[in-house]
Amino acid sequence: MEWHGTVSGPKGNDIPFGIVERFGPGGEWELYFDTLPLVADRAEIGVLFQKLAQP
């Protein structure tokens, strides 16, 4: 199951978010939140992704 929507917060209005719920290969329950835009703007997210891409 996936839920997507927008919320308002300190970083602005219509901020996208996502929640993913699934069962893993062994039947374990997994829950993921994509809420980074709620705490970081596009420039901050870009810097974070650059740091992840470095060897």
Side-chain angles (χ1 to χ4, degrees), residues 6-36:
T6 59
V7 296
S8 297
K11 295 289 183 179
N13 296 321
D14 298 325
I15 301 168
F17 76 94
I19 300 172
V20 177
E21 177 185 28
R22 68 180 185 173
F23 289 94
E28 66 276 1
W29 180 64
E30 299 174 347
L31 187 63
Y32 299 94
F33 297 91
D34 178 12
T35 56
L36 185 57

Side-chain angles (χ1 to χ4, degrees), residues 11 36-37 39-51:
K11 295 289 183 179
L36 185 57
V39 296
D41 60 27
R42 287 182 187 256
E44 292 168 319
I45 292 171
V47 169
L48 291 171
F49 277 115
Q50 286 177 356
K51 288 181 179 182

